[in-house]
């Protein structure tokens, strides 16, 4: 995503007012943009509790269930930077509407899916639509609302609704799966996309950068292809081992493409990712912290969902309630994290949050029968509070001290780290749980590895950021 400081806004209606109060029209614009982001957040969670039922209905085996999530996350992460730059070039509103139309159509395909292939195709197209909606929606928000109290308020509302989107998705997913079936979860997204698409054209102003930035197509192609190949190879190897030619070929191709991406970016006049920026310790270590917190939490949600339903035999509704409490805890953390950052600084808060998330994830290893649901609810809720603290603090760490003319690239890295983290966690670790003879043993193994990675990351990030000052 590119949020250029030299942006020209060509509104289709009155611009948002300066100051700190929202006018009626500005509030409607904010509602539409936040509704689109809320819808994407909903998609990340609404299907989780429906996975066992979905797999049985479509004939999608346990070891392949992770692709229901990964098929969405791969394109949503891999194409995000490319679509952010295309929006700069050809108009953010135009691309935003295109993304909504694609997302809605793909959700309808997933709703009507008749076999695993058609369902996963719908999920992949949903991810592609999300890769358009996320960067263009955020850019439209920051270009519509002027910098200052009004933009801060808009971003705060947007962030809170993103957290609520995950919460509502988990609860709705359980209720709708139990009462209407898993297909209703995808149908809900199709209806939501239609509603937002109907409201957006007359409200949202058009905007694009004043200049004509170059489209770094080679960079986009190499990083997207490299990520897709790497995730495919690792996911397949977790099921079949590294002996297959397709696994080794995809692994080699993925690594080669990522190396090529680094070379392309070092020579590009308008790179998708600024390599000199990555040399900043705050940018590099901050994004590592963000990558770890997102990937490890997405893994916990995936394996714990399976464990609660298939091992502890909780209904989809009760499983949804467990994660509903988790989402509420995240919203509470959203109001507490800024105070912690104000007192201890973003970097110390990031390290402490990663450490707390790791310790609380380790507690989930003890979840068994009896009071298992209660223990899981408390531990995963507290872990999620630490997770949200890490999210907020890593974003501030990455963008602190970056010149104004590079803030767009820094923000794009923050968003991309989020999408890639969600993408890689489940294929790398989640599949270890689904391929073990005993699901409960597999889940415990994954949770131990997850906790070790989080604690190790906290230590490494702490050392990497030492001497950079306490305050962000």
């Amino acid at each position: 995503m590119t949020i250029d400081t030299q942006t020209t806004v060509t509104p289709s209606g009155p611009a948002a007012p300066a100051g700190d109060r929202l006018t009626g029209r500005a509030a409607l614009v904010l509602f539409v943009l936040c509704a689109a982001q809320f819808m994407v957040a909903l998609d990340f969670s609404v299907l989780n509790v429906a996975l066992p039922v979905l797999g049985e209905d479509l004939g999608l085996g346990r070891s392949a269930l992770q692709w229901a999530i990964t098929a969405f996350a791969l394109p949503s992460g891999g194409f995000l930077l490319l679509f952010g730059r295309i929006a700069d070039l050809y108009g953010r509103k135009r691309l935003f509407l295109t993304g909504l139309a694609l997302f809605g159509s793909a959700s309808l395909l997933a709703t009507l899916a008749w076999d695993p292939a058609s369902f996963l195709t719908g999920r992949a197209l949903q991810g592609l639509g999300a890769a358009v909606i996320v960067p263009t929606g955020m850019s439209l928000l920051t270009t519509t609302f002027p910098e200052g109290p009004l933009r801060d308020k808009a971003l705060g509302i947007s962030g809170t609704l993103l957290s609520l989107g995950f919460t509502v998705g988990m609860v709705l997913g359980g209720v709708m799966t139990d009462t209407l079936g898993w297909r209703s979860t995808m149908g809900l997204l199709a209806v939501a996309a239609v509603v937002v698409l109907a409201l957006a054209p007359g409200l949202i102003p058009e905007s694009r950068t004043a200049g004509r930035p170059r489209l770094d197509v080679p960079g986009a192609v190499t990083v997207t292809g490299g990520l897709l190949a790497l995730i495919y190879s690792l996911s397949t190897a977790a099921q079949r081992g590294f002996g297959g030619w397709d696994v080794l070929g995809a692994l080699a191709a993925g690594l080669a493409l990522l190396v090529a991406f680094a070379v392309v970016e070092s020579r590009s006049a308008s790179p998708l990712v600024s390599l000199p920026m990555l040399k900043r310790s705050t940018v590099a270590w901050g994004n590592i912290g963000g990558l770890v917190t997102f990937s490890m939490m997405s893994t916990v949600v995936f394996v714990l969902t399976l464990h609660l339903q298939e091992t502890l035999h909780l209904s989809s509704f009760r499983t949804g309630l467990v994660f509903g409490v988790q989402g509420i805890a995240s919203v509470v953390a959203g109001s507490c994290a800024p105070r912690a950052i104000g007192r201890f600084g973003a970097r110390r808060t990031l390290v402490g949050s990663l450490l707390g998330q790791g310790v609380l994830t380790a507690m989930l290893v003890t979840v068994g029968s009896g009071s298992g649901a209660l223990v899981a609810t408390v531990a995963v809720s507290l872990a999620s509070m630490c997770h949200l603290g890490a999210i907020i603090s890593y974003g501030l760490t990455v963008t602190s001290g970056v010149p104004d003319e590079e803030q767009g690239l820094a923000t794009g890295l923050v968003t991309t780290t989020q999408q890639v983290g969600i993408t890689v966690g489940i294929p790398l670790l989640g599949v270890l749980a689904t391929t073990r003879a005993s699901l409960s043993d597999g889940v415990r193994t994954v949770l131990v590895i997850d906790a070790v990675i989080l604690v190790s990351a906290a230590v490494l990030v702490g050392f990497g950021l030492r001497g950079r000052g306490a305050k962000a």
Side-chain angles (χ1 to χ4, degrees):
M1 175 177 59
T2 53
I3 303 174
D4 202 311
T5 55
Q6 302 296 324
T7 300
T8 297
V9 180
T10 308
S12 58
D20 58 358
R21 298 191 64 181
L22 290 171
T23 65
R25 182 180 178 85
L28 287 174
V29 171
L30 179 60
F31 170 79
V32 170
L33 292 175
C34 288
Q37 303 285 351
F38 179 88
M39 178 181 67
V40 174
L42 198 70
D43 199 2
F44 272 110
S45 59
V46 74
L47 195 64
N48 278 309
V49 296
L51 287 178
V53 178
L54 179 155
E56 184 176 343
D57 184 37
L58 289 179
L60 201 62
R62 183 196 290 173
S63 62
L65 278 180
Q66 52 97 5
W67 282 104
I69 306 299
T70 304
F72 174 88
L74 275 174
S76 69
F79 287 96
L80 185 138
L81 285 173
L82 174 61
F83 285 128
R85 186 57 57 92
I86 291 175
D88 288 343
L89 210 58
Y90 299 107
R92 299 181 178 102
K93 175 181 176 180
R94 182 184 306 174
L95 206 63
F96 179 72
L97 297 178
T98 301
L100 285 171
L102 175 59
F103 187 90
S105 301
S107 298
L108 181 60
L109 174 59
T111 303
L112 303 175
W114 53 93
D115 60 13
S118 58
F119 174 73
L120 293 178
T121 298
R123 290 291 289 164
L125 291 175
Q126 277 184 322
L128 199 61
V132 179
I133 294 169
V134 170
T136 53
M138 186 60 70
S139 293
L140 283 167
L141 189 149
T142 55
T143 55
T144 300
F145 297 93
E147 188 172 358
L150 194 59
R151 182 184 293 180
D152 293 345
K153 180 181 294 185
L155 289 172
I157 294 172
S158 176
T160 300
L161 286 177
L162 282 173
S163 296
L164 283 174
F166 184 88
T167 303
V168 172
M170 295 302 295
V171 176
L172 273 181
V175 173
M176 296 179 75
T177 299
D178 273 358
T179 57
L180 302 174
W182 70 265
R183 294 179 188 274
S184 63
T185 63
M186 295 291 97
L188 173 66
L189 297 171
V191 172
V194 170
V195 172
V196 177
L197 187 58
L199 295 173
L203 288 172
I204 296 176
E206 181 59 281
S207 71
R208 57 171 58 89
T209 54
R212 298 284 291 181
R214 284 184 174 182
L215 185 61
D216 183 16
V217 175
V221 170
T222 50
V223 71
T224 302
L227 181 61
L228 290 172
L230 195 61
I231 297 302
Y232 170 80
S233 66
L234 294 174
S235 299
T236 307
Q239 300 175 45
R240 303 200 322 248
F242 283 95
W245 66 267
D246 58 331
V247 175
L248 294 175
L251 180 61
L255 294 175
L257 284 169
L258 292 177
V259 171
F261 170 70
V263 174
V264 167
E265 297 304 277
S266 67
R267 300 177 179 178
S268 175
S270 301
L272 287 178
V273 176
S274 172
L275 296 184
M277 182 183 292
L278 289 177
K279 295 180 181 179
R280 296 174 179 268
S281 62
T282 51
V283 173
W285 287 106
N287 275 299
I288 288 173
L291 181 69
V292 170
T293 192
F294 273 109
S295 59
M296 295 302 101
M297 182 52 71
S298 66
T299 301
V300 166
V301 171
F302 178 77
V303 299
L304 195 58
T305 298
L306 295 178
H307 183 60
L308 290 175
Q309 293 186 71
E310 297 193 14
T311 303
L312 302 187
H313 306 295
L314 266 66
S315 66
S316 299
F317 175 69
R318 291 184 66 191
T319 302
L321 289 180
V322 170
F323 291 103
V325 175
Q326 173 202 22
I328 294 172
S330 296
V331 174
V332 172
S335 63
C336 297
R339 298 178 184 177
I341 292 170
R343 181 173 181 178
F344 302 109
R347 301 175 186 90
R348 289 179 180 172
T349 303
L350 173 58
V351 172
S353 296
L354 288 171
L355 186 61
Q357 185 180 338
V359 171
L360 289 160
T361 297
M363 287 179 58
L364 288 168
V365 175
T366 65
V367 172
S369 57
S371 61
L374 177 60
V375 174
T377 301
V378 173
V380 79
S381 297
L382 293 175
S384 293
M385 294 183 73
C386 293
H387 171 61
L388 194 65
I391 292 174
I392 296 174
S393 55
Y394 103 83
L396 289 173
T397 298
V398 171
T399 55
S400 65
V402 175
D404 288 345
E405 63 272 15
E406 295 182 349
Q407 281 290 331
L409 286 172
T411 307
L413 284 173
V414 169
T415 309
T416 303
T417 294
Q418 170 184 331
Q419 299 297 317
V420 172
I422 294 171
T423 300
V424 302
I426 295 173
L428 291 179
L429 291 181
V431 74
L432 294 179
T434 59
T435 53
R436 290 292 185 93
S438 168
L439 178 62
S440 59
D441 289 344
V443 168
R444 290 190 183 94
T445 299
V446 169
L447 290 174
V448 169
I449 296 173
D450 195 298
V452 169
I453 291 174
L454 282 162
V455 172
S456 300
V459 174
L460 291 173
V461 170
F463 276 108
L465 294 177
R466 70 186 187 280
R468 302 300 302 178
K471 300 292 181 183

